[in-house]
Amino acid sequence: MTTASEMHGRTAGDRQPAHSLGAAAAARSHWQLADIPYAQIDHGAVANDEDMFYLLMSASFVETGSDTYAANLGAHYARYPDIQHWLQERWEHEELQHGESLRRYVEAVWPSFDWQKAYDSFFAEYSLLCTQEALLEDPRLEMVARCVVETGTTAYYHTLRALSQEPVLTGLLGHIRNDEVGHFKHFLSYFKSLQAQEPVGRLRIAKALYSRLKELRESDSDVALRHVFAHKGALFADRQRSFDDVAQRIYHLISSGLPAQLAVQMLLKPMLLPPRLESCLHRPISRLACKMLAY
């Protein structure tokens, strides 16, 4: 099987931490693909689940293409060697591991799906969205945007884990969700560090939060879902559902299971609000998050 590393012309070894003993130790303690018992998958518990098929396939595409985005983000923070190093040596590596682990799972459960052909189609479109111009020019505000993205992915995998009826998948999704929480904490920490050096006003932070929230429904996940649907072939052909039907079902499924409390707590963190004000904003932000983090 072609790995994400081979597809993008870099070996897996190129992505291993090389400059920091602390990073190397953290990488060794991180879960590995070998820890996932793919041979123990209960196919009867998941193979006929059309919703999970779309959700997992879409996620595998987005995560596998993350090295292109990571390269742009690393270049964006070239002035900050510690941030750039973490992005290149930890964040990118873990995101690609998510993609590879999900690919192995979906190919084990739905072997008739031509993953590589569908992914190539997806990446041809997705790569056009991964540009330096898509990043916020201000490095502080781009960190805010990254916090929004990690909030969305945390909520997404939290919801998928709750929906899972298959033990191996439940364990895998737990690993990925925990990684996304860790990524959020790193981005928030870097934002706080940059903010301490040269503060940016809360109004600009709020605008960056809102702007990135609006983009979530219109970006990579939607692109991935369209390409999964276009290449599903005879899979679930008996259901005879249009793409619009599938998309609406998926959006509803995710939004109805969204961990709003967790999402709102994460979204409000970059605002650095006093506790009393944060409490007052919790309810209206919760309603907004449920609507905009639907998928």
Side-chain angles (χ1 to χ4, degrees), residues 139-185:
R140 299 161 299 179
L141 296 181
E142 179 56 34
M143 279 299 170
V144 172
R146 294 314 313 170
C147 287
V148 175
V149 173
E150 298 299 341
T151 297
T153 53
T154 297
Y156 183 81
Y157 287 114
H158 182 99
T159 304
L160 259 63
R161 186 176 185 276
L163 292 171
S164 172
Q165 300 296 314
E166 200 286 302
V168 174
L169 178 60
T170 301
L172 172 58
L173 293 171
H175 284 312
I176 298 176
R177 178 201 59 191
N178 293 341
D179 283 351
E180 302 294 358
V181 172
H183 297 167
F184 171 87
K185 291 179 178 178

mmCIF file of all heavy atoms in Angstrom, residues 139-185:
data_model
loop_
_atom_site.group_PDB
_atom_site.id
_atom_site.type_symbol
_atom_site.label_atom_id
_atom_site.label_comp_id
_atom_site.label_asym_id
_atom_site.label_seq_id
_atom_site.Cartn_x
_atom_site.Cartn_y
_atom_site.Cartn_z
ATOM 1 N N PRO A 139 0.797 36.676 12.230
ATOM 2 C CA PRO A 139 1.070 35.358 12.824
ATOM 3 C C PRO A 139 0.269 35.090 14.089
ATOM 4 O O PRO A 139 -0.040 33.937 14.401
ATOM 5 C CB PRO A 139 2.575 35.402 13.123
ATOM 6 C CG PRO A 139 2.914 36.852 13.199
ATOM 7 C CD PRO A 139 2.000 37.532 12.218
ATOM 8 N N ARG A 140 -0.097 36.142 14.812
ATOM 9 C CA ARG A 140 -0.920 35.954 16.011
ATOM 10 C C ARG A 140 -2.322 35.500 15.622
ATOM 11 O O ARG A 140 -2.882 34.577 16.229
ATOM 12 C CB ARG A 140 -0.977 37.255 16.811
ATOM 13 C CG ARG A 140 0.370 37.746 17.306
ATOM 14 C CD ARG A 140 0.340 39.218 17.667
ATOM 15 N NE ARG A 140 -0.001 40.058 16.511
ATOM 16 C CZ ARG A 140 -0.119 41.378 16.555
ATOM 17 N NH1 ARG A 140 0.066 42.008 17.709
ATOM 18 N NH2 ARG A 140 -0.424 42.072 15.472
ATOM 19 N N LEU A 141 -2.883 36.141 14.605
ATOM 20 C CA LEU A 141 -4.243 35.807 14.194
ATOM 21 C C LEU A 141 -4.306 34.459 13.485
ATOM 22 O O LEU A 141 -5.321 33.758 13.564
ATOM 23 C CB LEU A 141 -4.802 36.910 13.300
ATOM 24 C CG LEU A 141 -4.968 38.276 13.983
ATOM 25 C CD1 LEU A 141 -5.552 39.290 13.007
ATOM 26 C CD2 LEU A 141 -5.837 38.168 15.237
ATOM 27 N N GLU A 142 -3.237 34.071 12.804
ATOM 28 C CA GLU A 142 -3.223 32.738 12.208
ATOM 29 C C GLU A 142 -3.211 31.673 13.297
ATOM 30 O O GLU A 142 -3.810 30.606 13.128
ATOM 31 C CB GLU A 142 -2.016 32.572 11.280
ATOM 32 C CG GLU A 142 -1.919 31.201 10.626
ATOM 33 C CD GLU A 142 -3.160 30.795 9.839
ATOM 34 O OE1 GLU A 142 -3.821 31.674 9.241
ATOM 35 O OE2 GLU A 142 -3.475 29.589 9.828
ATOM 36 N N MET A 143 -2.562 31.957 14.420
ATOM 37 C CA MET A 143 -2.624 31.035 15.551
ATOM 38 C C MET A 143 -4.050 30.924 16.090
ATOM 39 O O MET A 143 -4.507 29.850 16.487
ATOM 40 C CB MET A 143 -1.676 31.484 16.667
ATOM 41 C CG MET A 143 -0.233 31.101 16.460
ATOM 42 S SD MET A 143 -0.031 29.299 16.385
ATOM 43 C CE MET A 143 1.684 29.205 15.841
ATOM 44 N N VAL A 144 -4.766 32.031 16.102
ATOM 45 C CA VAL A 144 -6.179 32.005 16.500
ATOM 46 C C VAL A 144 -6.964 31.117 15.530
ATOM 47 O O VAL A 144 -7.782 30.289 15.953
ATOM 48 C CB VAL A 144 -6.764 33.433 16.512
ATOM 49 C CG1 VAL A 144 -8.279 33.392 16.721
ATOM 50 C CG2 VAL A 144 -6.108 34.267 17.603
ATOM 51 N N ALA A 145 -6.716 31.286 14.246
ATOM 52 C CA ALA A 145 -7.402 30.469 13.242
ATOM 53 C C ALA A 145 -7.095 28.996 13.439
ATOM 54 O O ALA A 145 -7.972 28.135 13.295
ATOM 55 C CB ALA A 145 -6.988 30.916 11.840
ATOM 56 N N ARG A 146 -5.840 28.686 13.772
ATOM 57 C CA ARG A 146 -5.474 27.286 14.004
ATOM 58 C C ARG A 146 -6.211 26.729 15.215
ATOM 59 O O ARG A 146 -6.589 25.553 15.240
ATOM 60 C CB ARG A 146 -3.961 27.155 14.213
ATOM 61 C CG ARG A 146 -3.085 27.484 13.034
ATOM 62 C CD ARG A 146 -3.552 26.863 11.740
ATOM 63 N NE ARG A 146 -3.883 25.445 11.877
ATOM 64 C CZ ARG A 146 -4.489 24.720 10.953
ATOM 65 N NH1 ARG A 146 -4.859 25.274 9.824
ATOM 66 N NH2 ARG A 146 -4.741 23.451 11.149
ATOM 67 N N CYS A 147 -6.424 27.553 16.226
ATOM 68 C CA CYS A 147 -7.194 27.111 17.396
ATOM 69 C C CYS A 147 -8.612 26.741 17.000
ATOM 70 O O CYS A 147 -9.180 25.768 17.508
ATOM 71 C CB CYS A 147 -7.211 28.197 18.474
ATOM 72 S SG CYS A 147 -5.653 28.412 19.373
ATOM 73 N N VAL A 148 -9.200 27.511 16.078
ATOM 74 C CA VAL A 148 -10.549 27.206 15.599
ATOM 75 C C VAL A 148 -10.558 25.867 14.862
ATOM 76 O O VAL A 148 -11.440 25.021 15.082
ATOM 77 C CB VAL A 148 -11.067 28.320 14.676
ATOM 78 C CG1 VAL A 148 -12.421 27.934 14.082
ATOM 79 C CG2 VAL A 148 -11.189 29.632 15.428
ATOM 80 N N VAL A 149 -9.583 25.667 13.994
ATOM 81 C CA VAL A 149 -9.517 24.421 13.232
ATOM 82 C C VAL A 149 -9.360 23.222 14.169
ATOM 83 O O VAL A 149 -10.029 22.191 14.007
ATOM 84 C CB VAL A 149 -8.364 24.466 12.218
ATOM 85 C CG1 VAL A 149 -8.181 23.102 11.545
ATOM 86 C CG2 VAL A 149 -8.628 25.536 11.166
ATOM 87 N N GLU A 150 -8.488 23.345 15.154
ATOM 88 C CA GLU A 150 -8.280 22.231 16.082
ATOM 89 C C GLU A 150 -9.506 22.002 16.950
ATOM 90 O O GLU A 150 -9.791 20.861 17.362
ATOM 91 C CB GLU A 150 -7.044 22.479 16.946
ATOM 92 C CG GLU A 150 -5.741 22.594 16.163
ATOM 93 C CD GLU A 150 -5.387 21.338 15.378
ATOM 94 O OE1 GLU A 150 -5.919 20.252 15.693
ATOM 95 O OE2 GLU A 150 -4.582 21.454 14.424
ATOM 96 N N THR A 151 -10.248 23.056 17.256
ATOM 97 C CA THR A 151 -11.519 22.888 17.958
ATOM 98 C C THR A 151 -12.474 22.064 17.098
ATOM 99 O O THR A 151 -13.140 21.139 17.587
ATOM 100 C CB THR A 151 -12.157 24.252 18.276
ATOM 101 O OG1 THR A 151 -11.309 24.985 19.156
ATOM 102 C CG2 THR A 151 -13.527 24.083 18.935
ATOM 103 N N GLY A 152 -12.540 22.408 15.815
ATOM 104 C CA GLY A 152 -13.413 21.680 14.910
ATOM 105 C C GLY A 152 -13.037 20.216 14.777
ATOM 106 O O GLY A 152 -13.905 19.335 14.802
ATOM 107 N N THR A 153 -11.749 19.920 14.644
ATOM 108 C CA THR A 153 -11.336 18.531 14.500
ATOM 109 C C THR A 153 -11.518 17.752 15.796
ATOM 110 O O THR A 153 -11.892 16.577 15.777
ATOM 111 C CB THR A 153 -9.875 18.438 14.045
ATOM 112 O OG1 THR A 153 -9.037 19.205 14.920
ATOM 113 C CG2 THR A 153 -9.718 18.965 12.627
ATOM 114 N N THR A 154 -11.282 18.400 16.919
ATOM 115 C CA THR A 154 -11.530 17.743 18.207
ATOM 116 C C THR A 154 -13.002 17.360 18.330
ATOM 117 O O THR A 154 -13.344 16.229 18.708
ATOM 118 C CB THR A 154 -11.135 18.655 19.373
ATOM 119 O OG1 THR A 154 -9.734 18.914 19.327
ATOM 120 C CG2 THR A 154 -11.472 18.014 20.717
ATOM 121 N N ALA A 155 -13.883 18.314 18.018
ATOM 122 C CA ALA A 155 -15.321 18.054 18.085
ATOM 123 C C ALA A 155 -15.725 16.959 17.104
ATOM 124 O O ALA A 155 -16.559 16.095 17.416
ATOM 125 C CB ALA A 155 -16.096 19.338 17.806
ATOM 126 N N TYR A 156 -15.136 16.982 15.925
ATOM 127 C CA TYR A 156 -15.450 15.998 14.885
ATOM 128 C C TYR A 156 -15.102 14.585 15.350
ATOM 129 O O TYR A 156 -15.941 13.667 15.290
ATOM 130 C CB TYR A 156 -14.678 16.355 13.626
ATOM 131 C CG TYR A 156 -14.949 15.480 12.429
ATOM 132 C CD1 TYR A 156 -16.068 15.682 11.627
ATOM 133 C CD2 TYR A 156 -14.061 14.464 12.070
ATOM 134 C CE1 TYR A 156 -16.307 14.888 10.513
ATOM 135 C CE2 TYR A 156 -14.300 13.670 10.956
ATOM 136 C CZ TYR A 156 -15.422 13.886 10.185
ATOM 137 O OH TYR A 156 -15.649 13.097 9.086
ATOM 138 N N TYR A 157 -13.878 14.395 15.821
ATOM 139 C CA TYR A 157 -13.465 13.055 16.229
ATOM 140 C C TYR A 157 -14.137 12.623 17.536
ATOM 141 O O TYR A 157 -14.372 11.432 17.746
ATOM 142 C CB TYR A 157 -11.937 12.976 16.338
ATOM 143 C CG TYR A 157 -11.278 12.980 14.982
ATOM 144 C CD1 TYR A 157 -10.466 14.042 14.574
ATOM 145 C CD2 TYR A 157 -11.476 11.936 14.091
ATOM 146 C CE1 TYR A 157 -9.874 14.060 13.315
ATOM 147 C CE2 TYR A 157 -10.881 11.941 12.829
ATOM 148 C CZ TYR A 157 -10.090 13.001 12.450
ATOM 149 O OH TYR A 157 -9.518 13.007 11.205
ATOM 150 N N HIS A 158 -14.441 13.564 18.392
ATOM 151 C CA HIS A 158 -15.202 13.250 19.601
ATOM 152 C C HIS A 158 -16.572 12.690 19.211
ATOM 153 O O HIS A 158 -17.032 11.690 19.773
ATOM 154 C CB HIS A 158 -15.367 14.516 20.444
ATOM 155 C CG HIS A 158 -16.086 14.299 21.736
ATOM 156 N ND1 HIS A 158 -15.413 14.154 22.939
ATOM 157 C CD2 HIS A 158 -17.414 14.206 22.026
ATOM 158 C CE1 HIS A 158 -16.299 13.978 23.913
ATOM 159 N NE2 HIS A 158 -17.514 14.003 23.382
ATOM 160 N N THR A 159 -17.212 13.333 18.228
ATOM 161 C CA THR A 159 -18.526 12.893 17.778
ATOM 162 C C THR A 159 -18.444 11.545 17.081
ATOM 163 O O THR A 159 -19.277 10.656 17.321
ATOM 164 C CB THR A 159 -19.139 13.938 16.828
ATOM 165 O OG1 THR A 159 -19.193 15.205 17.490
ATOM 166 C CG2 THR A 159 -20.544 13.538 16.410
ATOM 167 N N LEU A 160 -17.449 11.358 16.212
ATOM 168 C CA LEU A 160 -17.292 10.070 15.535
ATOM 169 C C LEU A 160 -17.059 8.941 16.532
ATOM 170 O O LEU A 160 -17.597 7.838 16.377
ATOM 171 C CB LEU A 160 -16.115 10.134 14.546
ATOM 172 C CG LEU A 160 -16.484 10.326 13.080
ATOM 173 C CD1 LEU A 160 -17.188 11.650 12.873
ATOM 174 C CD2 LEU A 160 -15.242 10.232 12.193
ATOM 175 N N ARG A 161 -16.271 9.213 17.549
ATOM 176 C CA ARG A 161 -16.015 8.189 18.556
ATOM 177 C C ARG A 161 -17.306 7.803 19.272
ATOM 178 O O ARG A 161 -17.549 6.621 19.548
ATOM 179 C CB ARG A 161 -14.978 8.677 19.564
ATOM 180 C CG ARG A 161 -14.543 7.610 20.563
ATOM 181 C CD ARG A 161 -13.438 8.131 21.474
ATOM 182 N NE ARG A 161 -12.942 7.089 22.343
ATOM 183 C CZ ARG A 161 -13.504 6.738 23.507
ATOM 184 N NH1 ARG A 161 -14.595 7.387 23.926
ATOM 185 N NH2 ARG A 161 -13.004 5.774 24.248
ATOM 186 N N ALA A 162 -18.146 8.788 19.560
ATOM 187 C CA ALA A 162 -19.426 8.498 20.218
ATOM 188 C C ALA A 162 -20.356 7.703 19.303
ATOM 189 O O ALA A 162 -21.161 6.894 19.786
ATOM 190 C CB ALA A 162 -20.100 9.809 20.641
ATOM 191 N N LEU A 163 -20.250 7.908 17.987
ATOM 192 C CA LEU A 163 -21.090 7.194 17.033
ATOM 193 C C LEU A 163 -20.598 5.774 16.763
ATOM 194 O O LEU A 163 -21.371 4.919 16.325
ATOM 195 C CB LEU A 163 -21.132 7.961 15.707
ATOM 196 C CG LEU A 163 -21.857 9.308 15.696
ATOM 197 C CD1 LEU A 163 -21.597 10.025 14.375
ATOM 198 C CD2 LEU A 163 -23.346 9.120 15.912
ATOM 199 N N SER A 164 -19.327 5.542 16.987
ATOM 200 C CA SER A 164 -18.728 4.250 16.644
ATOM 201 C C SER A 164 -19.326 3.097 17.451
ATOM 202 O O SER A 164 -19.497 3.186 18.662
ATOM 203 C CB SER A 164 -17.212 4.293 16.879
ATOM 204 O OG SER A 164 -16.639 3.010 16.727
ATOM 205 N N GLN A 165 -19.608 2.014 16.727
ATOM 206 C CA GLN A 165 -20.077 0.778 17.339
ATOM 207 C C GLN A 165 -19.035 -0.335 17.202
ATOM 208 O O GLN A 165 -19.321 -1.481 17.545
ATOM 209 C CB GLN A 165 -21.392 0.334 16.678
ATOM 210 C CG GLN A 165 -22.528 1.333 16.795
ATOM 211 C CD GLN A 165 -22.962 1.550 18.235
ATOM 212 O OE1 GLN A 165 -23.145 0.594 18.995
ATOM 213 N NE2 GLN A 165 -23.113 2.816 18.618
ATOM 214 N N GLU A 166 -17.859 0.030 16.697
ATOM 215 C CA GLU A 166 -16.818 -0.963 16.437
ATOM 216 C C GLU A 166 -15.624 -0.679 17.343
ATOM 217 O O GLU A 166 -15.056 0.416 17.299
ATOM 218 C CB GLU A 166 -16.425 -0.892 14.956
ATOM 219 C CG GLU A 166 -15.737 -2.142 14.425
ATOM 220 C CD GLU A 166 -14.306 -2.271 14.913
ATOM 221 O OE1 GLU A 166 -13.524 -1.335 14.657
ATOM 222 O OE2 GLU A 166 -13.984 -3.297 15.543
ATOM 223 N N PRO A 167 -15.219 -1.623 18.185
ATOM 224 C CA PRO A 167 -14.196 -1.367 19.215
ATOM 225 C C PRO A 167 -12.852 -0.861 18.701
ATOM 226 O O PRO A 167 -12.261 0.043 19.306
ATOM 227 C CB PRO A 167 -14.046 -2.729 19.900
ATOM 228 C CG PRO A 167 -15.361 -3.415 19.678
ATOM 229 C CD PRO A 167 -15.811 -2.970 18.317
ATOM 230 N N VAL A 168 -12.330 -1.425 17.620
ATOM 231 C CA VAL A 168 -11.032 -0.977 17.109
ATOM 232 C C VAL A 168 -11.133 0.478 16.650
ATOM 233 O O VAL A 168 -10.260 1.302 16.934
ATOM 234 C CB VAL A 168 -10.542 -1.873 15.951
ATOM 235 C CG1 VAL A 168 -9.258 -1.309 15.340
ATOM 236 C CG2 VAL A 168 -10.316 -3.302 16.452
ATOM 237 N N LEU A 169 -12.216 0.800 15.971
ATOM 238 C CA LEU A 169 -12.431 2.167 15.516
ATOM 239 C C LEU A 169 -12.584 3.125 16.693
ATOM 240 O O LEU A 169 -12.027 4.228 16.676
ATOM 241 C CB LEU A 169 -13.683 2.237 14.634
ATOM 242 C CG LEU A 169 -14.074 3.626 14.119
ATOM 243 C CD1 LEU A 169 -12.959 4.231 13.279
ATOM 244 C CD2 LEU A 169 -15.376 3.550 13.329
ATOM 245 N N THR A 170 -13.303 2.708 17.699
ATOM 246 C CA THR A 170 -13.489 3.555 18.883
ATOM 247 C C THR A 170 -12.146 3.908 19.508
ATOM 248 O O THR A 170 -11.892 5.065 19.867
ATOM 249 C CB THR A 170 -14.381 2.851 19.917
ATOM 250 O OG1 THR A 170 -15.659 2.558 19.322
ATOM 251 C CG2 THR A 170 -14.590 3.725 21.146
ATOM 252 N N GLY A 171 -11.269 2.922 19.613
ATOM 253 C CA GLY A 171 -9.945 3.170 20.179
ATOM 254 C C GLY A 171 -9.115 4.093 19.314
ATOM 255 O O GLY A 171 -8.455 5.005 19.809
ATOM 256 N N LEU A 172 -9.146 3.876 17.998
ATOM 257 C CA LEU A 172 -8.383 4.714 17.066
ATOM 258 C C LEU A 172 -8.861 6.162 17.122
ATOM 259 O O LEU A 172 -8.055 7.097 17.194
ATOM 260 C CB LEU A 172 -8.526 4.169 15.647
ATOM 261 C CG LEU A 172 -7.952 5.032 14.512
ATOM 262 C CD1 LEU A 172 -6.467 5.296 14.726
ATOM 263 C CD2 LEU A 172 -8.202 4.367 13.164
ATOM 264 N N LEU A 173 -10.172 6.361 17.100
ATOM 265 C CA LEU A 173 -10.715 7.714 17.143
ATOM 266 C C LEU A 173 -10.399 8.413 18.459
ATOM 267 O O LEU A 173 -10.228 9.633 18.498
ATOM 268 C CB LEU A 173 -12.230 7.673 16.918
ATOM 269 C CG LEU A 173 -12.667 7.237 15.511
ATOM 270 C CD1 LEU A 173 -14.175 7.024 15.466
ATOM 271 C CD2 LEU A 173 -12.242 8.254 14.467
ATOM 272 N N GLY A 174 -10.298 7.652 19.524
ATOM 273 C CA GLY A 174 -9.887 8.228 20.803
ATOM 274 C C GLY A 174 -8.467 8.757 20.749
ATOM 275 O O GLY A 174 -8.170 9.850 21.250
ATOM 276 N N HIS A 175 -7.576 7.995 20.125
ATOM 277 C CA HIS A 175 -6.191 8.444 19.957
ATOM 278 C C HIS A 175 -6.134 9.752 19.156
ATOM 279 O O HIS A 175 -5.427 10.702 19.537
ATOM 280 C CB HIS A 175 -5.380 7.380 19.213
ATOM 281 C CG HIS A 175 -5.004 6.190 20.037
ATOM 282 N ND1 HIS A 175 -4.451 6.290 21.288
ATOM 283 C CD2 HIS A 175 -5.086 4.850 19.755
ATOM 284 C CE1 HIS A 175 -4.209 5.068 21.773
ATOM 285 N NE2 HIS A 175 -4.581 4.192 20.860
ATOM 286 N N ILE A 176 -6.867 9.776 18.043
ATOM 287 C CA ILE A 176 -6.823 10.958 17.182
ATOM 288 C C ILE A 176 -7.420 12.164 17.884
ATOM 289 O O ILE A 176 -6.863 13.272 17.830
ATOM 290 C CB ILE A 176 -7.550 10.681 15.848
ATOM 291 C CG1 ILE A 176 -6.851 9.552 15.083
ATOM 292 C CG2 ILE A 176 -7.602 11.944 14.998
ATOM 293 C CD1 ILE A 176 -7.551 9.144 13.796
ATOM 294 N N ARG A 177 -8.544 11.971 18.555
ATOM 295 C CA ARG A 177 -9.161 13.086 19.294
ATOM 296 C C ARG A 177 -8.201 13.654 20.319
ATOM 297 O O ARG A 177 -8.057 14.884 20.444
ATOM 298 C CB ARG A 177 -10.437 12.611 19.981
ATOM 299 C CG ARG A 177 -11.134 13.680 20.812
ATOM 300 C CD ARG A 177 -12.056 13.061 21.838
ATOM 301 N NE ARG A 177 -11.322 12.178 22.742
ATOM 302 C CZ ARG A 177 -11.915 11.349 23.600
ATOM 303 N NH1 ARG A 177 -13.221 11.277 23.662
ATOM 304 N NH2 ARG A 177 -11.178 10.582 24.396
ATOM 305 N N ASN A 178 -7.531 12.802 21.052
ATOM 306 C CA ASN A 178 -6.592 13.276 22.071
ATOM 307 C C ASN A 178 -5.430 14.044 21.447
ATOM 308 O O ASN A 178 -4.947 15.034 22.014
ATOM 309 C CB ASN A 178 -6.072 12.095 22.890
ATOM 310 C CG ASN A 178 -7.160 11.458 23.744
ATOM 311 O OD1 ASN A 178 -8.199 12.072 23.999
ATOM 312 N ND2 ASN A 178 -6.936 10.226 24.181
ATOM 313 N N ASP A 179 -4.978 13.591 20.279
ATOM 314 C CA ASP A 179 -3.925 14.329 19.567
ATOM 315 C C ASP A 179 -4.402 15.727 19.201
ATOM 316 O O ASP A 179 -3.656 16.707 19.330
ATOM 317 C CB ASP A 179 -3.524 13.597 18.290
ATOM 318 C CG ASP A 179 -2.632 12.396 18.544
ATOM 319 O OD1 ASP A 179 -2.173 12.211 19.692
ATOM 320 O OD2 ASP A 179 -2.395 11.635 17.580
ATOM 321 N N GLU A 180 -5.644 15.827 18.727
ATOM 322 C CA GLU A 180 -6.169 17.134 18.311
ATOM 323 C C GLU A 180 -6.283 18.082 19.501
ATOM 324 O O GLU A 180 -6.026 19.289 19.373
ATOM 325 C CB GLU A 180 -7.528 16.975 17.621
ATOM 326 C CG GLU A 180 -7.534 16.076 16.390
ATOM 327 C CD GLU A 180 -6.720 16.621 15.231
ATOM 328 O OE1 GLU A 180 -6.155 17.730 15.341
ATOM 329 O OE2 GLU A 180 -6.642 15.936 14.197
ATOM 330 N N VAL A 181 -6.645 17.567 20.652
ATOM 331 C CA VAL A 181 -6.667 18.394 21.863
ATOM 332 C C VAL A 181 -5.255 18.895 22.173
ATOM 333 O O VAL A 181 -5.053 20.070 22.510
ATOM 334 C CB VAL A 181 -7.226 17.604 23.062
ATOM 335 C CG1 VAL A 181 -7.069 18.409 24.355
ATOM 336 C CG2 VAL A 181 -8.705 17.272 22.842
ATOM 337 N N GLY A 182 -4.281 18.002 22.044
ATOM 338 C CA GLY A 182 -2.893 18.403 22.278
ATOM 339 C C GLY A 182 -2.428 19.465 21.295
ATOM 340 O O GLY A 182 -1.719 20.404 21.668
ATOM 341 N N HIS A 183 -2.849 19.332 20.040
ATOM 342 C CA HIS A 183 -2.479 20.337 19.033
ATOM 343 C C HIS A 183 -3.098 21.686 19.375
ATOM 344 O O HIS A 183 -2.441 22.730 19.261
ATOM 345 C CB HIS A 183 -2.948 19.892 17.647
ATOM 346 C CG HIS A 183 -2.305 18.632 17.169
ATOM 347 N ND1 HIS A 183 -2.758 17.907 16.085
ATOM 348 C CD2 HIS A 183 -1.220 17.946 17.633
ATOM 349 C CE1 HIS A 183 -1.991 16.858 15.901
ATOM 350 N NE2 HIS A 183 -1.061 16.843 16.833
ATOM 351 N N PHE A 184 -4.351 21.658 19.803
ATOM 352 C CA PHE A 184 -5.009 22.902 20.213
ATOM 353 C C PHE A 184 -4.219 23.584 21.327
ATOM 354 O O PHE A 184 -3.990 24.805 21.301
ATOM 355 C CB PHE A 184 -6.431 22.618 20.681
ATOM 356 C CG PHE A 184 -7.111 23.806 21.318
ATOM 357 C CD1 PHE A 184 -7.792 24.734 20.547
ATOM 358 C CD2 PHE A 184 -7.059 23.993 22.695
ATOM 359 C CE1 PHE A 184 -8.402 25.843 21.131
ATOM 360 C CE2 PHE A 184 -7.665 25.095 23.284
ATOM 361 C CZ PHE A 184 -8.338 26.017 22.499
ATOM 362 N N LYS A 185 -3.798 22.822 22.297
ATOM 363 C CA LYS A 185 -3.066 23.394 23.428
ATOM 364 C C LYS A 185 -1.750 24.019 22.969
ATOM 365 O O LYS A 185 -1.345 25.070 23.484
ATOM 366 C CB LYS A 185 -2.825 22.316 24.485
ATOM 367 C CG LYS A 185 -4.084 21.861 25.204
ATOM 368 C CD LYS A 185 -3.787 20.775 26.221
ATOM 369 C CE LYS A 185 -5.046 20.355 26.977
ATOM 370 N NZ LYS A 185 -4.767 19.267 27.949
#
